[in-house]
Amino acid sequence: PPFDNNDVRLALKWAMDREEIVKKIFLGHATAGNDNPISTAVKFGINPEPVYRFDPDKARFHLKQAGLSSLKVEMNLSDAAFNGCVDAGVLYQASAAKCGIEINVVKEAADSYWDVVWLKKPFSASYWSGRPTCDWMFTTTYAAGAAWNETRWANPRFNELLVAARAETDEAKRAGMYAEMQQLCHDDCGQIVLVFNN
């Protein structure tokens, strides 16, 4: 808790000004993420709807749906995750504050981040190099029980599709399966895909 509530997760997604982070942290050399880990540059990649953009009204709506009028969370960050990570967290803290969400940004030591924070603290950051296939990315970090499933997400439909898509030889059917999986990640998973670096 509170990240086990999808309305809390959705409030956090709408509370982030991704375009500001692209501009100020990545100096424009990135594309804002939309909480789908598959880039549209990868075969079968889609851009799910709705596109998450900074929207205080939607963030507050989802807080209310979660039974909350405000939210206070701790986010553990280090530039070990990616250059500018802590500064991105501070920008996120500022945009979230306009939505009734207080984020306490805790700067963690870089030399111990991957051992002490990642996969251990509930709200932290990481980076992933692109994978050449949907299956590779999904299997590594989104499959139920995967060692690097950062949010401990276990969506039964997603996992059913993950296995079925591997064996599907009809390209159109396989594309549909991967599109549904990306939509499920977008709608339900706890991971916020901040950007795709250029």
Side-chain angles (χ1 to χ4, degrees):
F3 307 108
D4 57 343
N5 184 314
N6 195 42
D7 278 301
V8 168
R9 298 193 298 264
L10 288 168
L12 288 164
K13 292 175 184 209
W14 289 110
M16 178 181 278
D17 190 338
R18 300 164 201 247
E19 293 298 337
E20 181 184 34
I21 293 171
V22 165
K23 181 180 175 185
K24 293 180 178 175
I25 303 301
F26 296 91
L27 305 178
H29 297 286
T31 302
N34 188 28
D35 303 343
N36 169 18
I38 309 298
S39 165
T40 55
V42 174
K43 185 175 183 177
F44 304 120
I46 66 163
N47 192 20
E49 293 289 334
V51 174
Y52 294 121
R53 292 187 175 92
F54 178 59
D55 190 324
D57 291 335
K58 288 182 181 173
R60 284 191 200 94
F61 169 81
H62 285 288
L63 281 181
K64 188 175 179 182
Q65 291 295 110
L68 302 169
S69 58
S70 63
L71 177 67
K72 186 174 183 176
V73 294
E74 185 172 279
M75 190 172 193
N76 304 83
L77 302 175
S78 168
D79 285 348
F82 60 87
N83 288 335
C85 179
V86 175
D87 289 338
V90 171
L91 288 175
Y92 186 18
Q93 178 185 54
S95 66
K98 298 172 186 173
C99 306
I101 300 171
E102 183 181 337
I103 298 176
N104 179 29
V105 175
V106 178
K107 185 176 180 181
E108 300 281 358
D111 60 356
S112 61
Y113 186 76
W114 299 109
D115 293 324
V116 176
V117 177
W118 185 63
L119 297 176
K120 293 175 180 68
K121 297 195 178 179
F123 199 20
S124 62
S126 68
Y127 73 93
W128 286 93
S129 299
R131 302 300 194 266
T133 67
C134 294
D135 181 74
W136 193 348
M137 190 73 222
F138 285 147
T139 300
T140 304
T141 60
Y142 295 86
W148 291 345
N149 183 337
E150 296 173 311
T151 65
R152 294 170 181 81
W153 190 52
N155 182 293
R157 176 64 178 158
F158 176 90
N159 287 290
E160 174 188 326
L161 287 166
L162 180 61
V163 173
R166 290 179 188 144
E168 183 54 64
T169 57
D170 183 304
E171 287 274 306
K173 287 182 182 176
R174 195 170 192 212
M177 291 175 170
Y178 284 129
E180 184 179 347
M181 292 164 73
Q182 291 168 78
Q183 190 70 51
L184 286 166
C185 279
H186 172 274
D187 296 346
D188 185 55
C189 186
Q191 197 164 43
I192 296 173
V193 179
L194 175 62
V195 300
F196 290 104
N197 286 340
N198 289 359

